[in-house]
Amino acid sequence: MALSFALVIDPAASDDLRTDFSDSFRVIDTAAPALSVGELSTQRGDGIFESIGVVDRHPQELIAHLDRLAHSAQLCALPVPNREQWRQAVFAAAEHCPARGEGVIKLILSRGIEHGPTPTAWVTAGAAPDNTRVREQGIRVVTLDRGYSIDTPARAPWLLLGAKTLSYAVNMAAIREAKQRGADDAIFVSSDGFVLEAPTATLVLKEDGRYVTPAPNGGILHGTTQLGLFEHLGSLGDETAYETIRAERLATAEAAWLLSSVRLAVPIVAIDDVELPVDHELTASFNRFLLSPRA
Ligand code: PLP
């Protein structure tokens, strides 16, 4: 993503009731160095983030993204983000996304500099990559063992499995592995055989006319795109459900998608070389909805 804008935030306390936070923002040069070498985000990946899709300068699913940022902060014992401050930072950044078309805003909250006084926080904006082709043509995925069982998140909360942390090296390694196996992306499966999520997206299956997604019960992120789509499908009278899904169900799905804020709904054409039916018209209708302005 080519960055067109960045600002550093001086994080306010969560109960700071100011109505205007603009003097806590410092616009920085996207091409110039901005972080201290002591930053724990770069040294340890110790921080959290959100990637927000932007359409015609409108940030999508902002409420759900700010909710998840707060949830990740809580899991990581970071100070509770001041919601209004981050909201204003997002709108300041949105002004620098393409006036027509898709953009991306990233929110980053790091633990800061080792022994430093505060966390470090910043927001970036830029144009989104063109995902038109992948939304139309779909992707091949492989299942990959995530290496923990479905009950691990409850037994070991220090693994931070439900937090959107900056430590995405494992997620990126999984995508490389998928590519080495001739696919485009991966679906993580727990060591006891349950479907989890993709390295950067939520899985949704269509089975017998209803839509199901793995329950976000600590081990995976609750996707904002899936949340928005399920609300939309519910309003159309479609049935949606969160379930614990055994991996064997993948092969018999009527259709399947990976959903995420920037790529949106991408149809899965094959899982582990088993071809899956693709409903192009339905996928196009999902993406029309996802590209419409959403709170
Ligand atoms: N799961 C993981 C691991 C992700 O990284 C993402 C998005 O980045 C998602 C799911 C989908 O979340 P969202 O729809 O909010 O982008």
Side-chain angles (χ1 to χ4, degrees):
M1 175 181 102
L3 293 184
S4 55
F5 178 78
L7 62 78
V8 170
I9 300 177
D10 182 11
S14 60
D15 59 355
D16 184 333
L17 295 177
R18 256 180 290 173
T19 52
D20 181 358
F21 282 96
S22 51
D23 61 3
S24 67
F25 304 151
R26 184 166 48 88
V27 177
I28 56 169
D29 179 350
T30 55
L35 294 177
S36 157
V37 288
E39 248 301 317
L40 293 171
S41 54
T42 54
Q43 292 192 26
R44 295 182 182 153
D46 194 353
I48 56 176
F49 78 105
E50 285 294 320
S51 290
I52 303 177
V54 181
V55 178
D56 299 345
R57 294 198 170 150
H58 177 83
Q60 302 282 61
E61 299 287 352
L62 182 53
I63 295 169
H65 280 289
L66 292 177
D67 283 348
R68 193 169 60 191
L69 185 75
H71 181 62
S72 297
Q74 187 211 343
L75 292 175
C76 295
L78 284 162
V80 181
N82 183 304
R83 209 178 165 85
E84 179 58 19
Q85 183 182 37
W86 284 90
R87 201 187 65 80
Q88 289 181 21
V90 168
F91 280 103
E95 287 306 303
H96 299 268
C97 286
R100 286 277 160 266
E102 296 174 56
V104 188
I105 293 178
K106 264 194 161 195
L107 316 182
I108 296 134
L109 176 61
S110 139
R111 201 169 301 280
I113 296 167
E114 195 152 23
H115 312 302
T118 58
T120 314
W122 68 100
V123 172
T124 63
D130 184 0
N131 283 303
T132 319
R133 245 175 69 114
V134 77
R135 287 172 195 156
E136 285 168 6
Q137 296 185 352
I139 50 173
R140 303 179 76 83
V141 302
V142 288
T143 53
L144 294 180
D145 184 356
R146 186 69 174 84
Y148 60 75
S149 60
I150 197 83
D151 65 345
T152 301
R155 282 189 292 108
W158 48 88
L159 296 180
L160 305 177
L161 293 167
K164 193 164 167 68
T165 76
L166 290 169
S167 313
Y168 260 48
V170 166
N171 305 46
M172 298 300 109
I175 294 174
R176 285 196 299 276
E177 177 66 26
K179 291 194 169 154
Q180 263 173 16
R181 296 186 189 192
D184 306 294
D185 210 328
I187 294 174
F188 285 130
V189 175
S190 69
S191 54
D192 45 355
F194 296 97
V195 177
L196 299 170
E197 63 185 345
T200 64
T202 309
L203 174 73
V204 169
L205 302 180
K206 187 176 180 197
E207 291 175 324
D208 303 323
R210 58 201 283 278
Y211 298 90
V212 292
T213 193
N217 46 12
I220 61 174
L221 297 187
H222 197 172
T224 62
T225 318
Q226 169 269 312
L227 259 174
L229 183 67
F230 271 26
E231 219 176 274
H232 172 66
L233 289 169
S235 74
L236 298 176
D238 286 310
E239 196 185 329
T240 61
Y242 294 95
E243 292 182 355
T244 306
I245 301 173
R246 287 212 65 88
E248 296 80 62
R249 279 166 65 180
L250 292 173
T252 56
E254 264 168 58
W257 298 266
L258 291 188
L259 296 180
S260 54
S261 295
V262 178
R263 216 167 37 168
L264 303 181
V266 174
I268 298 177
V269 302
I271 303 181
D272 294 335
D273 284 330
V274 176
E275 307 292 320
L276 228 64
V278 176
D279 188 334
H280 290 285
E281 191 37 53
L282 184 61
T283 305
S285 76
F286 287 177
N287 283 316
R288 276 195 300 276
F289 163 71
L290 294 170
L291 285 166
S292 66
R294 292 174 293 126

